[in-house]
Amino acid sequence: MIELRQLTKKFGDLVAVDQVTLTIARGEFFAVLGPNAAGKTTTIRILAGLMKPTAGQARVAGFDVQTEPLEARRRMAYVPDFPFLYDKLTPWEFLRFTGQMFRMSEGSIEGAARLWAARFNLGEYLNIAIESLSHGTRQRVALASAMMHDPEVIVLDEPMVGLDPHHARVLKDILKEQAERGATIFVSTHQLSVAEEMADRIGIMHHGRLIAVGSREELRLRSGSEGALEQTFLALTAEEADLAAAGKKLVAPEPGPVKRV
Amino acid sequence: MDAGERALSASGLIAGREGTSLLWALLRVNGLQVWRRLQGLRHQSKLLTLLVGAFLGGYLTLAFGLFRMGLRFVGSFPGLGTLLVERLMFLMFAILFVLLLFSNLVIGYTNLFRNRETSYLLSLPVSFRTIVQWKFIESTLLASWAFLFLIAPLIVAYGLHRNVSWHFFVLTPLLVAMFIVLPAAAGAWISMFMARYLDRRLFQATLALLVVLVMAGVAFWLKSEPVAEELTETRALAVLDRLLAKTAFTEFALLPSYWLSSGILQWADGALATAMFYGLVLLSYTLFFGHLSFSQSGRFFYDAASRVNSRASAFWRWSWFQSWRLRHREARYTEQGIERVAGWFSGVLNSDTRALLVKDIRLFWRDTAQWGQTLVLFGLLGVYILNLRHFSHQLTNPFWIHLVSHLNLGACALNLATLTTRFIYPQFSLEGKRIWIVGMAPVGMVRLVRTKFWLATVGSLVVTLGLILLSCWMLRLPLERMLYFAGAITLMTFTLNGLAVGLGALYPNFREEHPGKIVSGFGGTFCLVLSFVYIVASVVLLALGSPWPWMGAARAAHAPTELAWAAFLALSLGLGWVPLRMGLKQVERFEL
């Protein structure tokens, strides 16, 4: 599971993440939405251990990402929006390397690499240098490598970018299966349809604050809009902007444990 | 397992499958990357491999020959030859230490805090210590290999000069290998310390300030003193004594370069026990500081890395900066200086051409690497030329005047070639990333390339012409000779820019985003080699066909001026105009 407690991150005077508190239960699919520069990627980067929070705490699978970083990362899969891959390696070699980094046994590396390469349709590319692959295929290699060690927590930043409709569907199915087997999934996306279709709960971030959290229906009720998620999203972010102009804050309700799978 | 893996496995880079440590896995993967890159170079073009091989071989041979001649010349000084050679060795390794320190500092900072692999590794269950260990090894190799390649011919030349035994050539690389760890460790620690407290701009500014201070300190300390002609003839020992006193700091016993130099010199003298002593001193410090970096720096790394990723501009603490930035955030746009200057040419240049010029000048100004390297290269040459006045008192012999003026021409052109290859050549390829706007605009690709050529040429001509005229003035050359060299450098500037722009258009690489990687391909290497060949051939032609006598009043029997200039012109047309023309033709046919 993921726990964020009063998480705050400042870049100089700019507050990128402002006292975000959130608990995502085991087996829950959580999607975070928000306009550009809302603080989604910063939150994810703190969660992945790439930077320290200015204040607050982030825990992954029960481990504090700052004080017990290795334990936390061992249980987590993180794929950024532009994942780093070793260009001169082949996908096969990269998958093996990732397995070694997670200290998997030789046998399980072999099995997991075969499994995830097959799931992401990488078979014909396995022995081609990564530098020759298209953007979408590279994204699939990164996603496959992230799944290798059977993570308890999966954190993805804009995972659908570059994927064709077929592979976007494949990824959605895989994430659904992972949630069903008990993995916690945290996805940042601009594609409202992904959140609408997949997420148990949706969080909306704006100006570093988590302004609303809830199921699709709860958000709709909260915003008072009747239409699709797009209307809800626009209504909530507009409301927050109005409140901000008036010097007030729209505060998300205290999160309770949610388990919908 | 391919050839690369087999080679790495044979060399022990691949550890046993079970219990493979993470550091070994990182070494293996990155070793494989380098191996594949080298293989790719070979597969890419046989001509490129040949060119690179010939260029490296040529450098090693030429440098070895020059060092050997130099050592013989200095060593033959009556009574003091050996002392002078030794002092030169101490001086060279001391300078090498400082250069390695700066190189490690810059590369270490980039590698630890501005590197995508580091961010990737931070998200894996890899300890900070392992990440720093790998980055320390990588930075040390990246920062040191070029310097080692540069000094290798000198060490071989010194060994042969001293008629040493074979084991000298075994021990010296070991001593050098231990030596490079010390500046690497210092560079890693300083870069971590600077990253902890300074933002990127302040880091660059501090580094630039340090370089300037070191250069100023060296210039002040080694400031040439005017020596009267009669003093050099009658009091040579006194003059030498002053020279030796100025360089005595290189024998400061706590300098790592002193331990290395002493070890090498003592081994060459046959004093093996003393050489071993210095070797052990070096080993003990290398083990201590190497171990300290390897085992302890990890704990400081994450804090520094997090601060680098979290930091707003350090200037935010000042209210004037905040209000200045807030002013710039406003929606209205005011025309800035460079645009106003471009506006003066509205009668001559179309608005799109002016827009391209303004954009390129802005990009140059905002890319610290571009103007920084230009400043350092031409700044050093400028400092040297400004010091020529001290020597010119002694340059009464026309031979030396001739030699120095031609060497200055070559040095200026070499500096320019370095910059045209590094920054001008990749321009067209980088523009490929922006092709959706520039390529689709009515300006057209041909005019885009032409604009780049003229901007680069006029910009670099201001510097090269200025330096050559300064050099002529410092050497007190008459007006006709100033004009002669001004004509030569103008033509060379046009040629070198034409070559870089032309080859850049002929061999575009739209896949790479990093200019350094674009340059390392076939076209970039070809451009560098052709530029150097052109400069050497041009300077030789101009020297041979000089209309002024080299040795005295009578003109020596060498090539007629007209013939030499005809060859120089033909060479310039062939290596400047022709590639540019071909590049423009290629661009005309370019399919978006």
Side-chain angles (χ1 to χ4, degrees):
Chain A
M1 62 185 285
I2 295 173
E3 289 172 271
L4 307 178
R5 292 270 171 260
Q6 297 290 311
L7 196 71
T8 301
K9 182 68 188 176
K10 292 182 182 175
F11 297 107
D13 286 355
L14 176 79
V15 184
V17 178
D18 192 0
Q19 299 183 44
V20 169
T21 297
L22 175 71
T23 305
I24 308 171
R26 196 169 172 274
E28 184 181 0
F29 190 121
F30 186 89
V32 61
L33 307 175
N36 293 330
K40 305 183 297 291
T41 297
T42 305
T43 306
I44 286 183
R45 286 170 67 81
I46 294 170
L47 206 51
L50 297 183
M51 57 171 69
K52 288 181 175 180
T54 310
Q57 197 183 36
R59 296 176 78 84
V60 166
F63 296 98
D64 188 311
V65 296
Q66 292 302 317
T67 56
E68 301 155 294
L70 292 184
E71 292 303 322
R73 285 186 232 150
R74 205 162 278 148
R75 288 158 178 82
M76 183 169 67
Y78 162 61
V79 181
D81 43 357
F82 295 101
F84 169 86
L85 298 167
Y86 292 95
D87 276 354
K88 297 284 174 188
L89 297 192
T90 63
W92 189 244
E93 288 165 337
F94 185 71
L95 293 177
R96 287 182 52 77
F97 170 73
T98 312
Q100 286 174 344
M101 287 287 116
F102 280 89
R103 295 184 184 274
M104 292 167 67
S105 70
E106 194 57 34
S108 53
I109 289 177
E110 188 80 16
R114 284 190 191 286
L115 169 71
W116 291 110
R119 293 298 309 270
F120 283 100
N121 295 318
L122 289 168
E124 59 184 305
Y125 305 108
L126 277 176
N127 290 309
I128 298 172
I130 289 172
E131 64 182 350
S132 325
L133 303 179
S134 69
H135 176 61
T137 314
R138 291 166 68 103
Q139 179 77 356
R140 275 146 58 201
V141 174
L143 289 164
S145 72
M147 299 296 177
M148 287 277 294
H149 63 288
D150 210 9
E152 291 173 37
V153 173
I154 299 170
V155 179
L156 307 175
D157 194 357
E158 296 290 350
M160 302 296 171
V161 174
L163 294 183
D164 59 45
H166 171 68
H167 288 106
R169 181 74 261 160
V170 169
L171 177 62
K172 285 178 194 171
D173 291 344
I174 289 171
L175 292 179
K176 206 170 183 177
E177 286 167 22
Q178 291 295 313
E180 279 166 6
R181 73 157 180 86
T184 306
I185 296 171
F186 184 107
V187 172
S188 154
T189 182
H190 284 299
Q191 295 185 13
L192 304 186
S193 60
V194 173
E196 199 156 26
E197 179 190 339
M198 306 284 298
D200 298 312
R201 277 194 305 157
I202 297 167
I204 296 179
M205 285 191 81
H206 197 27
H207 291 139
R209 289 193 293 275
L210 191 62
I211 58 169
V213 183
S215 66
R216 165 76 194 85
E217 191 56 26
E218 285 164 352
L219 288 183
R220 195 182 59 78
L221 289 172
R222 185 174 164 75
S223 70
S225 69
E226 286 300 320
L229 182 59
E230 186 180 9
Q231 266 76 49
T232 309
F233 173 75
L234 292 173
L236 284 168
T237 48
E239 185 187 345
E240 201 273 343
D242 291 343
L243 284 170
K248 296 172 185 171
K249 280 184 184 179
L250 185 71
V251 182
E254 254 321 290
V258 175
K259 182 77 183 76
R260 292 171 196 282
V261 177
Chain B
M1 191 184 265
D2 71 4
E5 279 184 282
R6 276 196 299 278
L8 289 165
S9 182
S11 65
L13 268 179
I14 298 178
R17 289 205 179 276
E18 290 298 323
T20 304
S21 79
L22 300 183
L23 181 60
W24 280 112
L26 280 167
L27 281 169
R28 175 187 169 272
V29 157
N30 282 281
L32 201 56
Q33 288 251 106
V34 173
W35 174 262
R36 296 247 168 92
R37 204 160 278 144
L38 292 174
Q39 272 189 325
L41 206 66
R42 205 184 64 192
H43 291 146
Q44 194 183 11
S45 162
K46 292 257 187 303
L47 182 62
L48 176 64
T49 315
L50 199 71
L51 269 175
V52 173
F55 195 65
L56 296 181
Y59 163 74
L60 289 174
T61 314
L62 189 70
F64 170 75
L66 287 173
F67 283 135
R68 189 106 163 89
M69 280 164 58
L71 288 170
R72 268 199 204 128
F73 176 75
V74 177
S76 64
F77 195 92
L80 284 172
T82 312
L83 180 68
L84 286 174
V85 169
E86 282 185 1
R87 182 56 58 84
L88 279 176
M89 295 292 282
F90 278 113
L91 191 60
M92 191 203 66
F93 283 115
I95 291 170
L96 183 70
F97 181 74
V98 176
L99 290 176
L100 280 174
L101 188 62
F102 276 113
S103 174
N104 275 289
L105 180 54
V106 174
I107 291 178
Y109 180 86
T110 313
N111 225 4
L112 282 166
F113 305 112
R114 296 274 162 196
N115 182 279
R116 291 190 66 213
E117 189 196 17
T118 308
S119 294
Y120 164 67
L121 294 176
L122 274 172
S123 71
L124 298 180
V126 182
S127 69
F128 303 134
R129 196 168 89 156
T130 308
I131 296 174
V132 173
Q133 284 173 346
W134 157 237
K135 288 292 156 189
F136 178 70
I137 294 171
E138 190 185 28
S139 304
T140 308
L141 293 174
L142 284 173
S144 312
W145 75 266
F147 291 106
L148 301 181
F149 180 72
L150 285 174
I151 63 158
L154 172 65
I155 290 178
V156 176
Y158 178 73
L160 294 180
H161 174 72
R162 299 293 309 274
N163 289 321
V164 294
S165 311
W166 61 269
H167 43 75
F168 172 86
F169 298 104
V170 178
L171 178 93
T172 307
L174 289 177
L175 290 177
V176 172
M178 289 192 283
F179 169 73
I180 61 169
V181 175
L182 294 173
W189 279 102
I190 297 171
S191 70
M192 243 180 280
F193 179 76
M194 289 174 86
R196 171 76 177 71
Y197 294 104
L198 306 176
D199 82 328
R200 192 169 61 90
R201 273 176 192 273
L202 274 179
F203 176 82
Q204 288 171 343
T206 310
L207 200 64
L209 187 70
L210 275 175
V211 172
V212 169
L213 283 177
V214 168
M215 276 166 58
V218 171
F220 176 75
W221 183 250
L222 298 178
K223 189 174 63 181
S224 56
E225 296 169 21
V227 180
E229 186 73 24
E230 65 274 16
L231 199 62
T232 52
E233 286 170 7
T234 57
R235 303 283 305 278
L237 281 179
V239 173
L240 270 177
D241 192 45
R242 278 155 65 181
L243 183 71
L244 290 171
K246 289 264 181 178
T247 55
F249 69 92
T250 58
E251 295 192 33
F252 178 57
L254 289 178
L255 271 180
S257 59
Y258 173 77
W259 310 325
L260 173 67
S261 317
S262 300
I264 290 175
L265 296 173
Q266 297 290 342
W267 199 273
D269 279 342
L272 304 189
T274 318
M276 285 300 285
F277 167 76
Y278 285 112
L280 289 173
V281 171
L282 200 54
L283 179 68
S284 60
Y285 277 96
T286 300
L287 286 177
F288 177 73
F289 286 107
H291 178 70
L292 202 63
S293 302
F294 231 59
S295 61
Q296 299 301 315
S297 51
R299 66 171 71 181
F300 303 101
F301 163 68
Y302 181 57
D303 186 44
S306 178
R307 280 174 187 268
V308 168
N309 289 327
S310 312
R311 195 177 279 130
S313 169
F315 295 106
W316 268 107
R317 70 192 70 165
W318 292 299
S319 56
W320 64 265
F321 182 80
Q322 289 181 24
S323 53
W324 179 74
R325 285 301 294 266
L326 288 172
R327 268 206 311 279
H328 278 71
R329 274 186 196 168
E330 289 171 13
R332 73 191 153 79
Y333 183 81
T334 47
E335 209 173 49
Q336 291 171 353
I338 182 66
E339 281 173 297
R340 280 201 290 273
V341 173
W344 299 343
F345 298 94
S346 55
V348 190
L349 301 171
N350 294 329
S351 65
D352 51 5
T353 309
R354 278 184 282 131
L356 277 175
L357 286 173
V358 168
K359 184 227 12 153
D360 277 353
I361 291 170
R362 276 188 178 143
L363 290 183
F364 174 78
W365 178 242
R366 288 171 193 176
D367 183 357
T368 321
Q370 286 202 45
W371 63 258
Q373 286 187 32
T374 307
L375 194 69
V376 167
L377 280 174
F378 283 112
L380 282 172
L381 193 63
V383 169
Y384 149 74
I385 287 173
L386 282 170
N387 267 307
L388 276 176
R389 184 52 60 85
H390 296 294
F391 297 109
S392 64
H393 292 291
Q394 296 148 48
L395 293 176
T396 47
N397 187 328
F399 173 80
W400 290 109
I401 298 270
H402 246 72
L403 186 69
V404 172
S405 56
H406 281 91
L407 285 178
N408 287 354
L409 178 71
C412 193
L414 280 171
N415 271 3
L416 179 63
T418 312
L419 297 171
T420 54
T421 306
R422 177 67 180 77
F423 298 119
I424 309 296
Y425 171 81
Q427 285 285 316
F428 182 70
S429 298
L430 290 174
E431 211 63 75
K433 296 278 174 202
R434 303 182 276 267
I435 213 119
W436 62 273
I437 177 70
V438 182
M440 302 301 282
V443 64
M445 298 297 279
V446 172
R447 200 136 59 89
L448 170 81
V449 175
R450 280 211 182 105
T451 307
K452 285 192 176 294
F453 168 72
W454 280 105
L455 177 65
T457 306
V458 171
S460 47
L461 196 57
V462 171
V463 183
T464 52
L465 198 56
L467 280 173
I468 284 299
L469 289 175
L470 184 68
S471 153
C472 293
W473 185 59
M474 285 292 175
L475 290 169
R476 299 171 198 278
L477 295 184
L479 181 65
E480 66 271 20
R481 288 176 77 169
M482 282 176 107
L483 292 174
Y484 176 85
F485 281 110
I489 195 66
T490 303
L491 192 54
M492 290 172 91
T493 305
F494 269 87
T495 306
L496 291 170
N497 279 294
L499 182 66
V501 173
L503 288 183
L506 279 172
Y507 299 103
N509 178 353
F510 298 129
R511 290 174 66 92
E512 289 292 350
E513 287 183 20
H514 193 272
K517 288 186 179 170
I518 297 170
V519 174
S520 65
F522 173 75
T525 316
F526 197 42
C527 180
L528 186 71
V529 173
L530 283 184
S531 300
F532 283 4
V533 169
Y534 167 72
I535 291 164
V536 172
S538 299
V539 174
V540 168
L541 279 171
L542 290 170
L544 286 176
S546 170
W548 295 280
W550 275 78
M551 301 303 290
R555 194 178 188 283
H558 50 237
T561 303
E562 297 76 17
L563 189 65
W565 265 83
F568 173 51
L569 279 172
L571 194 64
S572 301
L573 279 175
L575 290 177
W577 187 77
V578 172
L580 182 63
R581 194 79 216 129
M582 287 167 70
L584 289 170
K585 285 267 175 216
Q586 163 108 336
V587 165
E588 265 177 36
R589 296 190 298 267
F590 192 75
E591 289 180 358
L592 287 173

